[in-house]
Amino acid sequence: MTTVAIPSPPGLPLLGHLLEMNRDMPGFLQHAARTTGPVSRVRMGPLSMVLVADPLLVHDMLVRRPQEFAKSWRTARLIQGHVGDGLLTREGGEHRRHRRLMLPSLHTQRISRYGEIMVGESRRLADSWADGQQVEVVEQMTQLTLRIVGASLFTVDDDGAEVFAAVHDFVNSLNAYLLSFGLLPGWLPTKTHRWRKASVARMDRLSYELIRQRRERGGDGGDLLSMLINARDPEGGPALTDAEIRDELLTMFFAGHETSATALTWACYELARHPEIAEKLRAEVAEVLGERPATMADLPNLPYLGQVVKETLRRWPPGWLFDRTPVAETELGGHTVKPGQVLFFSPYVIHTDPAYWPEPEEFRPERFAPGVEIPREAYLPFGDGPRICVGNRFAEAEIALVLATLVPRVRLEPVSDQPVRLSGQATIRPRGGLRMTVRKAG
């Protein structure tokens, strides 16, 4: 094994890079990757983590040697207190079992059934906006995707107001905890810790009530909850317990709307900044759909829409930060890494690497045009390997159908010409939100 020391960007005594990470974590990691090298050590107070910025090394971890790397203790500390032991945190055989049980609910045929809900909720949102109204796009997209997840994956019976409010509070408390980096022990009665416990307790009560009601009703409601209750492992594993179902529900409530809402926010931002792209997209949708609503079957006939979605996920990958830890001492990029060492990688950093993406900060859907070669290892908006996001097809379809519904009906114009600042929470968002002005079509 080599013993070459892992380089580190200049930092402060004791604090290391903590202040820079708090100020602009995505920007700091991007700068560290470009100035320090493909593998660099990042220090946050007493914590030391290793940033892996070379796409080939990340591919090696995720695809070629996934059995040698597990989710780190950092993941457990930061999110298990919220989502429990769902797909995000499980390992080994239990992860594979849960994935087998989850996949049928997110099969293409099932997603096609969800498409009508995606389009209907998008039309309702567009109809609720008035010409000239200013809207907070992050908030609007969050509420939209939450309603889509609630209706298509969990079939909330009434208007869902209580459940949606609880999920919104749950996700916000998780984001606040992520921003604290989990540096303080959970037993300390800080404001963030109290908020976390209260939001999780509220979601527990609602989740177990949803499970109880569905078990009493029986049958297959065509949604994720019904399928998890009725699922039987083809390889003979046990059925899921209520606690396991609860954990997957909270995982999907979080991951199933937060990432799509963020991607849609950035799509609106880029279309507003590039009216020529928006007009080209609008023309394609009009030619293919006319006045009728979009369906899943239309998506293959809307190639430019697909390019816009993929370029949005390249430029602004919602799942922007992941981690691993070696199972045993191993070598990575000429450095020895030991068990317990937190390794993390960022699709945001990789997707803006000029060695793979010319002028990476420019928004160019044509990067994904037919015949254009894509750097396979340098495009991973949903991760890669056996832990690639189980809901990736659902998310891409949702983003495409929402855009195909909104673009013909409204134009969103920036309220300010000031560049956005980034906030690296569970997803990468515009710091302070994104206000835009609605212009109704026609």
Side-chain angles (χ1 to χ4, degrees):
M1 290 281 184
T2 181
T3 57
V4 176
I6 298 175
S8 180
L12 297 172
L14 300 179
L15 292 178
H17 309 106
L18 186 58
L19 296 182
E20 294 168 283
M21 300 268 277
N22 271 325
R23 188 180 306 117
D24 179 6
M25 187 173 179
F28 170 76
L29 296 183
Q30 189 180 61
H31 177 74
R34 294 182 182 179
T35 59
T36 308
V39 180
S40 57
R41 189 176 301 279
V42 174
R43 295 178 295 116
M44 297 191 307
L47 298 181
S48 172
M49 301 190 294
V50 174
L51 172 64
V52 183
D54 184 339
L56 297 179
L57 293 180
V58 172
H59 187 76
D60 186 35
M61 283 196 302
L62 302 185
V63 178
R64 293 178 181 163
R65 298 192 287 158
Q67 72 283 357
E68 297 182 27
F69 299 90
K71 288 278 190 176
S72 80
W73 56 265
R74 173 185 173 275
T75 296
R77 176 179 292 182
L78 288 178
I79 68 174
Q80 267 186 326
H82 271 83
V83 302
D85 286 320
L87 278 179
L88 289 177
T89 56
R90 285 186 180 272
E91 295 288 348
E94 279 300 294
H95 178 266
R96 291 190 291 273
R97 179 174 75 93
H98 276 239
R99 193 176 178 91
R100 286 195 302 269
L101 293 169
M102 293 281 287
L103 277 173
S105 67
L106 296 167
H107 189 274
T108 301
Q109 290 180 334
R110 289 272 178 171
I111 295 174
S112 296
R113 293 171 60 182
Y114 306 149
E116 185 176 342
I117 296 169
M118 297 171 182
V119 171
E121 291 293 342
S122 302
R123 294 186 70 169
R124 182 164 78 167
L125 176 65
D127 290 344
S128 73
W129 290 341
D131 188 58
Q133 177 184 356
Q134 283 193 11
V135 295
E136 205 324 285
V137 178
V138 175
E139 179 183 318
Q140 295 287 307
M141 294 301 118
T142 298
Q143 291 299 318
L144 170 63
T145 58
L146 182 55
R147 295 196 68 85
I148 290 172
V149 167
S152 59
L153 297 188
F154 308 105
T155 317
V156 176
D157 290 331
D158 51 24
D159 65 1
E162 183 181 10
V163 173
F164 296 151
V167 174
H168 190 62
D169 185 62
F170 172 80
V171 171
N172 285 340
S173 72
L174 175 53
N175 278 326
Y177 191 70
L178 291 176
L179 285 176
S180 74
F181 299 114
L183 294 177
L184 297 177
W187 53 263
L188 283 177
T190 66
K191 179 181 178 181
T192 298
H193 289 161
R194 293 196 305 270
W195 184 11
R196 181 188 204 186
K197 291 177 181 178
S199 69
V200 170
R202 186 182 182 189
M203 281 305 303
D204 276 349
R205 177 177 59 81
L206 291 170
S207 297
Y208 284 117
E209 180 61 18
L210 281 173
I211 295 168
R212 184 192 63 78
Q213 290 175 358
R214 192 59 53 86
R215 284 196 186 280
E216 289 181 353
R217 182 185 307 165
D220 181 2
D223 57 16
L224 176 69
L225 178 54
S226 292
M227 294 194 72
L228 290 180
I229 289 174
N230 297 320
R232 297 299 178 267
D233 189 347
E235 297 189 12
L240 294 175
T241 65
D242 282 4
E244 289 176 314
I245 293 172
R246 172 268 185 204
D247 292 349
E248 297 300 356
L249 281 180
L250 296 195
T251 297
M252 290 299 292
F253 261 135
F254 165 61
H257 91 281
E258 172 89 350
T259 53
S260 294
T262 303
L264 284 165
T265 296
W266 288 118
C268 291
Y269 170 76
E270 293 291 1
L271 292 175
R273 291 178 65 237
H274 300 89
E276 73 285 358
I277 294 176
E279 286 305 317
K280 183 175 179 179
L281 178 57
R282 193 170 288 113
E284 178 183 78
V285 171
E287 180 181 355
V288 173
L289 300 181
E291 298 296 322
R292 67 178 178 81
T295 68
M296 280 285 294
D298 292 313
L299 296 185
N301 300 318
L302 295 165
Y304 193 65
L305 172 62
Q307 294 169 38
V308 169
V309 172
K310 289 184 181 300
E311 177 67 349
T312 300
L313 293 172
R314 180 202 68 84
R315 182 65 186 90
W316 306 105
W320 76 284
L321 197 64
F322 301 92
D323 67 21
R324 294 291 188 272
T325 191
V327 175
E329 184 173 301
T330 189
E331 187 271 342
L332 189 69
H335 304 281
T336 298
V337 288
K338 298 181 178 182
Q341 174 67 69
V342 177
L343 312 173
F344 65 120
F345 63 95
S346 169
Y348 173 76
V349 171
I350 291 172
H351 290 182
T352 53
D353 186 339
Y356 293 85
W357 302 98
E359 298 182 280
E361 296 185 1
E362 294 294 320
F363 188 79
R364 296 177 180 171
E366 291 76 14
R367 298 180 201 270
F368 295 91
V372 177
E373 187 175 351
I374 302 301
R376 161 76 173 81
E377 295 84 0
Y379 185 68
L380 57 164
F382 298 102
D384 207 344
R387 295 195 72 107
I388 192 170
C389 175
V390 71
N392 57 348
R393 288 182 294 180
F394 180 95
E396 285 197 323
E398 180 181 17
I399 296 164
L401 288 174
V402 170
L403 291 179
T405 304
L406 295 182
V407 165
R409 291 169 172 79
V410 296
R411 286 184 295 109
L412 293 174
E413 300 176 347
V415 171
S416 169
D417 60 1
Q418 295 297 311
V420 296
R421 298 172 60 219
L422 304 184
S423 176
Q425 302 179 27
T427 58
I428 190 165
R429 290 183 167 198
R431 187 182 294 271
L434 181 67
R435 295 200 66 79
M436 305 186 84
T437 301
V438 175
R439 301 297 179 197
K440 304 284 277 200

